[in-house]
Amino acid sequence: MTASGRVPQSLHDQVVGAIGTAICDGVFPAGHILSIDALAAQHGVSRPVVREACRVLTALGLVASRRRVGTVVQPTTRWMAFDPRVIRWRLASSDRLAQLVVLTELRTAIEPQAARLAAQRRPDATATELVVLAARLWDSGSAGRGPEFLAHDLKFHRLLLQASGNDMFAHLGDAVAEVLAGRHQYGLFPERPAQEALQWHMDVAQAVQRGDAACAFETMVKIVDRSLAESAALWERAPSPGSASEPSSRTVPDGADRAEGADGRSG
């Protein structure tokens, strides 16, 4: 398992991810008809592997099977936007900063409320664990141990959502984890976290521990606001490959825009 909590991908998962990322990046826009043959050739896999990948993408709302037409890419309004895989693919696209803004707006709405509720409900064991994690964040962040810092950061934010006592908040833990991991993966996180940000994590943990709901809320707002500001600043200084500031060199494989015969359509 990696520092971001992900397990190594199988061939099937790799194909799902490659096609999903291409859809999220606009290589296959809404209304585009996927070619099973072209995708199989492109990724060096069998047609059944591509069909199975398309079934996963159908469940996520990215594509839909149309009788006598084939597998059609769907508009973003039909995607399962909170699914960690969809978030990961959108963060891998050339429009990742815009996606990061949207996800940070979601975090701004959810995490401060989760911190407030955690402080109000004060689950003792969890509050103590939050303080311990905040201390580990401080230690690893100050020392520049990036992978270790990320692992502790993911645990901290997941635990805070769980400590809210709100099951729906807790279920967003995977989505928030993808945002945090994506910032690190795409160079949208400083080499060393600011001491101020490290202190804020400790302040949130201690506010939850002593039941100070207002402080927990206000400090968590600072954390998520700063994360967006840092990402935007890093993006401006050093755009990553394939960013919106660079023209895309990717093209749709030959034949991918044509509907296949009955034997070439995905289930």
Side-chain angles (χ1 to χ4, degrees):
M1 184 174 291
T2 65
S4 62
R6 301 172 188 163
V7 296
Q9 291 188 321
S10 65
L11 176 61
H12 168 263
D13 290 336
Q14 291 175 28
V15 174
V16 171
I19 300 173
T21 300
I23 292 173
C24 290
D25 204 14
V27 175
F28 302 130
H32 181 84
I33 302 170
L34 297 179
S35 165
I36 302 300
D37 285 337
L39 288 171
Q42 180 185 2
H43 297 289
V45 297
S46 65
R47 288 156 55 98
V49 170
V50 175
R51 287 198 186 96
E52 184 58 34
C54 286
R55 291 190 182 96
V56 174
L57 296 171
T58 298
L60 294 173
L62 272 68
V63 302
S65 180
R66 297 283 183 261
R67 188 176 181 82
R68 301 181 185 282
V69 176
T71 301
V72 184
V73 176
Q74 298 300 289
T76 57
T77 51
R78 297 190 180 179
W79 298 359
M80 293 183 64
F82 291 159
D83 188 279
R85 289 164 294 184
V86 176
I87 291 174
R88 188 183 314 152
W89 300 334
R90 296 183 85 168
L91 287 175
S93 76
S94 59
D95 201 28
R96 68 174 60 99
L97 187 58
Q99 175 67 2
L100 190 63
V101 170
V102 171
L103 291 167
T104 302
E105 289 173 348
L106 173 66
R107 290 185 63 198
T108 301
I110 299 300
E111 290 195 78
Q113 291 292 348
R116 185 204 299 273
L117 289 172
Q120 290 173 344
R121 291 163 181 172
R122 298 177 65 184
D124 292 339
T126 301
T128 299
E129 189 175 353
L130 281 171
V131 173
V132 171
L133 283 170
R136 291 174 179 169
L137 276 171
W138 184 288
D139 179 61
S140 56
S142 298
R145 299 193 299 271
E148 183 182 338
F149 173 86
L150 175 58
H152 293 320
D153 201 27
L154 297 182
K155 290 179 182 178
F156 182 93
H157 289 275
R158 284 181 189 275
L159 186 60
L160 185 68
L161 291 168
Q162 293 168 7
S164 71
N166 184 307
D167 288 343
M168 296 192 73
F169 283 3
H171 279 297
L172 289 173
D174 287 344
V176 171
E178 286 297 336
V179 179
L180 297 173
R183 287 189 64 206
H184 285 259
Q185 181 176 357
Y186 297 110
L188 300 176
F189 196 89
E191 289 185 13
R192 289 176 184 264
Q195 292 293 307
E196 187 178 41
L198 295 174
Q199 181 62 53
W200 286 341
H201 281 77
M202 180 60 75
D203 291 344
V204 168
Q206 292 177 338
V208 170
Q209 190 175 50
R210 67 175 182 270
D212 189 340
C215 179
F217 177 91
E218 293 165 5
T219 308
M220 184 53 69
V221 169
K222 294 178 183 178
I223 290 174
V224 292
D225 282 351
R226 187 184 185 100
S227 72
L228 178 59
E230 287 176 342
S231 297
L234 288 167
W235 181 275
E236 288 296 325
R237 290 201 299 268
S240 55
S243 71
S245 63
E246 301 175 356
S248 174
S249 60
R250 276 174 281 189
T251 57
V252 177
D254 291 342
D257 58 343
R258 297 192 298 271
E260 297 183 354
D263 62 339
R265 300 187 192 110
S266 123

